[in-house]
Amino acid sequence: MAILIHPLLPPTTTIVFSNSFSTKLILRSPNHTRRVRCRISDSSEVKSDEGASKLEYKPGLLDDFFMQSFRNKLVEEVGSDSDKPGYVGLIELVKLLLLKGRTRSETGDAAVRILKSLFPPLILELYKLLIAPIAQGKLAALMVARVTVLTCQWLMGPSKVNIIDLPNGESWDSGVFVEKCQYLEESKCVGVCINTCKLPTQTFFKDYMGVPLVMEPNFKDYSCQFKFGVAPPEDDGNVNEPCFETCSIAGRRKLKSGECPLA
């Protein structure tokens, strides 16, 4: 989820994000201006029959590659694969990851290992060392927000960059709004959301990329707000949410309806 700036660009080159959240970067130097587009995946707003604005996801060329790479790392961590293909099989593996962990911490550590393994050696260290300190972390936060939208909609569903408010009163366009998270919708488990996605993802970005992040899932409409550049609160109410009555993991462990083992 990192953007690499080629080392051969002129020293005076500046990089400007266009007003559009999507795939366009503008590279400027004294001698030329270059516009770069990266077509990976995209979301656009469309009007529904009721007139409400709704995000529409357009699958990109690399989505299958991203999914298979993620699945391979899950298989390595879990120790087995699912017989089911595609996204359904992926969610089966995520549930196995949750069931394998004896504690929330153990599950989170495993999920962080998976995220780290998706990146080439030294990329994370260089990003944290060279990019994260620039402009009090603003550049790094803006970059990861855009790359998250470019590379992760196959996992989350339609999403877009939006403006968020920081605790210091500033506003940055370093948020990512997921209209209806298919990871949560397909898993039907708050424990999967909290322990294999929210908590480990927040830890990963802060510890290994130097970017504070708080994720705010909404368990009523399945939306989720990412806030890059904002640290999680000490008392995060989402962490202790009860699970859905349809939680399949609670059923596997023969618990009462709504009592997810790790929610």
Side-chain angles (χ1 to χ4, degrees), residues 1-3 119 123-134 136-148 164 166 172 174-176 198-215 226-232:
M1 298 182 184
I3 297 177
F119 290 79
I123 291 296
L124 299 177
E125 290 87 345
L126 290 173
Y127 193 91
K128 184 175 181 179
L129 178 66
L130 301 178
I131 306 298
I134 298 175
Q136 290 77 52
K138 183 175 182 178
L139 177 61
L142 267 61
M143 289 174 69
V144 293
R146 283 151 179 79
V147 176
T148 297
I164 60 169
L166 275 63
W172 293 357
S174 61
V176 173
K198 172 182 162 64
L199 293 179
T201 302
Q202 290 177 173
T203 297
F204 170 76
F205 275 102
K206 178 64 173 68
D207 292 352
Y208 296 98
M209 298 189 77
V211 181
L213 166 66
V214 61
M215 296 167 62
F226 288 60
K227 294 182 177 181
F228 291 103
V230 178

Side-chain angles (χ1 to χ4, degrees), residues 206-262:
K206 178 64 173 68
D207 292 352
Y208 296 98
M209 298 189 77
V211 181
L213 166 66
V214 61
M215 296 167 62
E216 300 173 345
N218 185 320
F219 297 116
K220 293 182 179 179
D221 63 8
Y222 292 2
S223 66
C224 186
Q225 176 67 60
F226 288 60
K227 294 182 177 181
F228 291 103
V230 178
E234 292 185 9
D235 182 18
D236 192 338
N238 274 325
V239 173
N240 298 312
E241 280 282 334
C243 203
F244 304 125
E245 293 184 359
T246 55
C247 176
S248 61
I249 292 180
R252 289 189 193 185
R253 293 194 173 182
K254 298 181 180 180
L255 300 176
K256 293 180 181 179
S257 177
E259 292 184 359
C260 177
L262 291 177

Side-chain angles (χ1 to χ4, degrees), residues 104 114 117 156 171 235 250:
R104 170 174 284 170
I114 291 171
S117 69
M156 306 180 302
S171 295
D235 182 18

